[in-house]
Amino acid sequence: KHGNKSLPRFCLHYASRLNSGVRVQMKFPAVQQIADGYGQAKSAEVGKFELGLFQQFGGEPLVPLLVAAFPLVRRASGRAAILSQLLRYSRHHTEVTSLAIAALTDRAYLVREHACSVLAYSLRQDALPALRTLNSHTDARTRLDALAAADAIALQNHHYYVDRTHTGTTLWQVG
C-alpha cells in the first residue's frame, strides 16, 4: 500500500534480531504496537508515544523494530517520523538505508523527503542508483530532494543535502 509490497517481509527479518540478547531484561513492544503508536492521528500523541518508547528502550535497540513497523503504519506522518528517528543510525545499520531506499517509492512526499535525507546522511554510494530513478518523478520537490541527496553522497558531505548551493554557511547537525 505504501509503494513497495515486499517491504514487510524484509522488515520483519530485522525484527527477529531483537532476540539476540540486547537488553534481555526488558520486554520490547510488539511490532504492531509500535505501528499503532506511530499511526495515531494526533502528532502530540505520536510524540508522547515516541518519548515513552525511547526513554524506556533507548534508540539503537529499537532500530530493528522501527524498520519492521514502518510498512504497517498507515499514516504518512508516522512513517516519516520513523525515518526521522532512524536517520542517525543510517551510517551503521544497513537495514536503515535499505528501508530508506524502499521508502523512496512511498506515495507521500513527506516520506520520500525523509527517505532522501536518510540516504544523504548515510553517504552510501550504493544508494545512488535508487536516487537517480527519481530524476523523472512527477513531483518536482522529490526530484530536487533526490538530486541533493545524490550530490551529498557523491561529494561525501552530508551538509550538502541542506546546503544545496555549497555555500559552507549551512551545517546539518545530526545527533
Side-chain angles (χ1 to χ4, degrees), residues 8 10-20 22 28-29 31 34 59-71 82 86 89 93 95-96 99:
F10 159 81
C11 294
L12 291 174
H13 164 73
Y14 291 102
S16 68
R17 291 174 43 194
L18 289 174
N19 295 327
S20 65
V22 176
F28 284 94
V31 171
I34 291 182
E60 196 157 8
L62 291 169
V63 168
L65 271 174
L66 293 171
V67 169
F70 179 89
I82 287 175
L86 291 173
Y89 305 109
H93 290 269
E95 64 267 34
V96 172
L99 176 64

Side-chain angles (χ1 to χ4, degrees), residues 12-140:
L12 291 174
H13 164 73
Y14 291 102
S16 68
R17 291 174 43 194
L18 289 174
N19 295 327
S20 65
V22 176
R23 293 185 184 222
V24 174
Q25 70 277 14
M26 292 188 211
K27 184 173 175 10
F28 284 94
V31 171
Q32 189 60 53
Q33 287 175 300
I34 291 182
D36 292 345
Y38 277 100
Q40 297 177 85
K42 295 182 181 178
S43 61
E45 292 299 317
V46 173
K48 184 178 173 183
F49 167 77
E50 268 189 330
L51 181 63
L53 187 67
F54 285 91
Q55 282 180 340
Q56 184 174 2
F57 300 104
E60 196 157 8
L62 291 169
V63 168
L65 271 174
L66 293 171
V67 169
F70 179 89
L72 303 176
V73 178
R74 297 183 59 81
R75 294 187 176 277
S77 59
R79 295 191 305 279
I82 287 175
L83 287 171
S84 179
Q85 289 295 333
L86 291 173
L87 174 68
R88 72 192 69 191
Y89 305 109
S90 64
R91 291 189 180 168
H92 304 291
H93 290 269
T94 58
E95 64 267 34
V96 172
T97 52
S98 296
L99 176 64
I101 288 170
L104 292 173
T105 62
D106 198 277
R107 68 178 178 254
Y109 167 70
L110 184 63
V111 176
R112 294 190 306 272
E113 177 188 30
H114 281 279
C116 286
S117 70
V118 167
L119 295 173
Y121 185 72
S122 78
L123 299 177
R124 291 184 50 133
Q125 297 284 333
D126 59 341
L128 289 172
L131 287 165
R132 288 188 186 117
T133 65
L134 298 178
N135 288 343
S136 59
H137 197 278
T138 57
D139 188 331

